Amino acid sequence: LLTGRRDVMASWLAILSGGAPTNVRCEDARVFVSAELGVVTCTESIGEARVFATNVFVKEDDEWRIVHHHGGRVR
């Protein structure tokens, strides 16, 4: 569990700069959108591991911004 802006931003920086596995596959994506809120759920497959993920976005100044991400291992 990562908490606090510094730790979360450092994790995203590592992911976006190639510090995460590149073989992540998004499967069974479902998208729910309203005027200012979007939710995406999917199963992320990373090698043999599977994670159910939820991402929540809000629309600010005509741009979608992620405000929450959660992933839990599928057993």
Side-chain angles (χ1 to χ4, degrees), residues 30-49:
R30 296 180 186 205
V31 179
F32 308 90
V33 180
S34 69
E36 296 179 355
L37 180 74
V39 178
V40 177
T41 62
C42 68
T43 302
E44 297 173 351
S45 296
I46 308 164
E48 296 296 317

mmCIF file of all heavy atoms in Angstrom, residues 30-49:
data_model
loop_
_atom_site.group_PDB
_atom_site.id
_atom_site.type_symbol
_atom_site.label_atom_id
_atom_site.label_comp_id
_atom_site.label_asym_id
_atom_site.label_seq_id
_atom_site.Cartn_x
_atom_site.Cartn_y
_atom_site.Cartn_z
ATOM 1 N N ARG A 30 -13.967 -2.527 -18.510
ATOM 2 C CA ARG A 30 -15.310 -1.947 -18.480
ATOM 3 C C ARG A 30 -15.169 -0.483 -18.104
ATOM 4 O O ARG A 30 -14.410 -0.145 -17.191
ATOM 5 C CB ARG A 30 -16.190 -2.672 -17.480
ATOM 6 C CG ARG A 30 -16.383 -4.112 -17.909
ATOM 7 C CD ARG A 30 -17.243 -4.869 -16.977
ATOM 8 N NE ARG A 30 -17.226 -6.264 -17.442
ATOM 9 C CZ ARG A 30 -18.175 -7.107 -17.202
ATOM 10 N NH1 ARG A 30 -19.219 -6.738 -16.519
ATOM 11 N NH2 ARG A 30 -18.100 -8.333 -17.659
ATOM 12 N N VAL A 31 -15.887 0.364 -18.809
ATOM 13 C CA VAL A 31 -15.771 1.812 -18.630
ATOM 14 C C VAL A 31 -17.135 2.378 -18.275
ATOM 15 O O VAL A 31 -18.137 2.063 -18.932
ATOM 16 C CB VAL A 31 -15.239 2.480 -19.912
ATOM 17 C CG1 VAL A 31 -15.132 3.978 -19.734
ATOM 18 C CG2 VAL A 31 -13.894 1.878 -20.311
ATOM 19 N N PHE A 32 -17.165 3.197 -17.250
ATOM 20 C CA PHE A 32 -18.372 3.892 -16.818
ATOM 21 C C PHE A 32 -18.044 5.380 -16.816
ATOM 22 O O PHE A 32 -17.094 5.794 -16.152
ATOM 23 C CB PHE A 32 -18.780 3.435 -15.417
ATOM 24 C CG PHE A 32 -18.884 1.940 -15.284
ATOM 25 C CD1 PHE A 32 -17.774 1.197 -14.903
ATOM 26 C CD2 PHE A 32 -20.068 1.284 -15.565
ATOM 27 C CE1 PHE A 32 -17.850 -0.193 -14.788
ATOM 28 C CE2 PHE A 32 -20.155 -0.100 -15.450
ATOM 29 C CZ PHE A 32 -19.048 -0.839 -15.065
ATOM 30 N N VAL A 33 -18.813 6.178 -17.556
ATOM 31 C CA VAL A 33 -18.491 7.600 -17.695
ATOM 32 C C VAL A 33 -19.737 8.444 -17.470
ATOM 33 O O VAL A 33 -20.814 8.124 -17.975
ATOM 34 C CB VAL A 33 -17.922 7.909 -19.098
ATOM 35 C CG1 VAL A 33 -17.588 9.377 -19.243
ATOM 36 C CG2 VAL A 33 -16.702 7.059 -19.385
ATOM 37 N N SER A 34 -19.573 9.518 -16.713
ATOM 38 C CA SER A 34 -20.594 10.554 -16.611
ATOM 39 C C SER A 34 -19.931 11.856 -17.037
ATOM 40 O O SER A 34 -18.815 11.846 -17.554
ATOM 41 C CB SER A 34 -21.143 10.646 -15.182
ATOM 42 O OG SER A 34 -20.163 11.167 -14.302
ATOM 43 N N ALA A 35 -20.586 12.964 -16.827
ATOM 44 C CA ALA A 35 -20.052 14.248 -17.283
ATOM 45 C C ALA A 35 -18.671 14.549 -16.691
ATOM 46 O O ALA A 35 -17.799 15.069 -17.386
ATOM 47 C CB ALA A 35 -21.021 15.377 -16.956
ATOM 48 N N GLU A 36 -18.460 14.222 -15.417
ATOM 49 C CA GLU A 36 -17.206 14.609 -14.764
ATOM 50 C C GLU A 36 -16.513 13.465 -14.025
ATOM 51 O O GLU A 36 -15.511 13.685 -13.347
ATOM 52 C CB GLU A 36 -17.468 15.753 -13.787
ATOM 53 C CG GLU A 36 -17.954 17.006 -14.487
ATOM 54 C CD GLU A 36 -18.240 18.134 -13.511
ATOM 55 O OE1 GLU A 36 -18.159 17.910 -12.294
ATOM 56 O OE2 GLU A 36 -18.550 19.229 -13.988
ATOM 57 N N LEU A 37 -17.033 12.248 -14.155
ATOM 58 C CA LEU A 37 -16.464 11.115 -13.433
ATOM 59 C C LEU A 37 -16.353 9.925 -14.376
ATOM 60 O O LEU A 37 -17.274 9.640 -15.141
ATOM 61 C CB LEU A 37 -17.350 10.734 -12.240
ATOM 62 C CG LEU A 37 -16.864 9.558 -11.405
ATOM 63 C CD1 LEU A 37 -15.667 9.976 -10.561
ATOM 64 C CD2 LEU A 37 -17.973 9.048 -10.513
ATOM 65 N N GLY A 38 -15.230 9.251 -14.326
ATOM 66 C CA GLY A 38 -15.030 8.044 -15.109
ATOM 67 C C GLY A 38 -14.432 6.954 -14.238
ATOM 68 O O GLY A 38 -13.592 7.231 -13.382
ATOM 69 N N VAL A 39 -14.897 5.723 -14.437
ATOM 70 C CA VAL A 39 -14.366 4.577 -13.698
ATOM 71 C C VAL A 39 -14.035 3.493 -14.716
ATOM 72 O O VAL A 39 -14.847 3.166 -15.582
ATOM 73 C CB VAL A 39 -15.387 4.042 -12.672
ATOM 74 C CG1 VAL A 39 -14.834 2.818 -11.956
ATOM 75 C CG2 VAL A 39 -15.784 5.123 -11.674
ATOM 76 N N VAL A 40 -12.832 2.954 -14.613
ATOM 77 C CA VAL A 40 -12.410 1.857 -15.472
ATOM 78 C C VAL A 40 -12.039 0.685 -14.578
ATOM 79 O O VAL A 40 -11.231 0.831 -13.656
ATOM 80 C CB VAL A 40 -11.195 2.255 -16.342
ATOM 81 C CG1 VAL A 40 -10.733 1.068 -17.185
ATOM 82 C CG2 VAL A 40 -11.525 3.456 -17.213
ATOM 83 N N THR A 41 -12.640 -0.468 -14.853
ATOM 84 C CA THR A 41 -12.249 -1.692 -14.163
ATOM 85 C C THR A 41 -11.713 -2.657 -15.207
ATOM 86 O O THR A 41 -12.137 -2.643 -16.362
ATOM 87 C CB THR A 41 -13.434 -2.348 -13.420
ATOM 88 O OG1 THR A 41 -14.445 -2.714 -14.356
ATOM 89 C CG2 THR A 41 -14.003 -1.420 -12.363
ATOM 90 N N CYS A 42 -10.763 -3.468 -14.803
ATOM 91 C CA CYS A 42 -10.209 -4.453 -15.724
ATOM 92 C C CYS A 42 -9.418 -5.480 -14.932
ATOM 93 O O CYS A 42 -9.181 -5.331 -13.738
ATOM 94 C CB CYS A 42 -9.306 -3.790 -16.763
ATOM 95 S SG CYS A 42 -7.775 -3.118 -16.096
ATOM 96 N N THR A 43 -9.014 -6.513 -15.651
ATOM 97 C CA THR A 43 -8.073 -7.481 -15.103
ATOM 98 C C THR A 43 -6.739 -7.224 -15.782
ATOM 99 O O THR A 43 -6.666 -7.177 -17.013
ATOM 100 C CB THR A 43 -8.535 -8.921 -15.368
ATOM 101 O OG1 THR A 43 -9.833 -9.101 -14.793
ATOM 102 C CG2 THR A 43 -7.569 -9.920 -14.768
ATOM 103 N N GLU A 44 -5.711 -6.987 -14.990
ATOM 104 C CA GLU A 44 -4.365 -6.774 -15.525
ATOM 105 C C GLU A 44 -3.601 -8.074 -15.372
ATOM 106 O O GLU A 44 -3.522 -8.625 -14.281
ATOM 107 C CB GLU A 44 -3.652 -5.653 -14.771
ATOM 108 C CG GLU A 44 -4.323 -4.306 -14.921
ATOM 109 C CD GLU A 44 -3.705 -3.238 -14.038
ATOM 110 O OE1 GLU A 44 -2.861 -3.564 -13.166
ATOM 111 O OE2 GLU A 44 -4.072 -2.062 -14.206
ATOM 112 N N SER A 45 -3.077 -8.572 -16.472
ATOM 113 C CA SER A 45 -2.277 -9.799 -16.436
ATOM 114 C C SER A 45 -0.821 -9.421 -16.598
ATOM 115 O O SER A 45 -0.444 -8.724 -17.541
ATOM 116 C CB SER A 45 -2.698 -10.741 -17.562
ATOM 117 O OG SER A 45 -4.025 -11.145 -17.362
ATOM 118 N N ILE A 46 -0.013 -9.876 -15.650
ATOM 119 C CA ILE A 46 1.420 -9.603 -15.655
ATOM 120 C C ILE A 46 2.102 -10.965 -15.527
ATOM 121 O O ILE A 46 2.210 -11.506 -14.432
ATOM 122 C CB ILE A 46 1.834 -8.673 -14.493
ATOM 123 C CG1 ILE A 46 0.973 -7.423 -14.493
ATOM 124 C CG2 ILE A 46 3.315 -8.343 -14.565
ATOM 125 C CD1 ILE A 46 1.022 -6.641 -13.204
ATOM 126 N N GLY A 47 2.504 -11.518 -16.656
ATOM 127 C CA GLY A 47 3.021 -12.882 -16.622
ATOM 128 C C GLY A 47 1.921 -13.817 -16.177
ATOM 129 O O GLY A 47 0.820 -13.803 -16.719
ATOM 130 N N GLU A 48 2.157 -14.597 -15.135
ATOM 131 C CA GLU A 48 1.167 -15.520 -14.600
ATOM 132 C C GLU A 48 0.242 -14.853 -13.582
ATOM 133 O O GLU A 48 -0.810 -15.394 -13.248
ATOM 134 C CB GLU A 48 1.864 -16.716 -13.947
ATOM 135 C CG GLU A 48 2.667 -17.558 -14.918
ATOM 136 C CD GLU A 48 1.782 -18.216 -15.955
ATOM 137 O OE1 GLU A 48 0.713 -18.735 -15.595
ATOM 138 O OE2 GLU A 48 2.169 -18.196 -17.140
ATOM 139 N N ALA A 49 0.622 -13.700 -13.063
ATOM 140 C CA ALA A 49 -0.175 -13.017 -12.037
ATOM 141 C C ALA A 49 -1.327 -12.261 -12.682
ATOM 142 O O ALA A 49 -1.197 -11.703 -13.771
ATOM 143 C CB ALA A 49 0.700 -12.056 -11.244
#
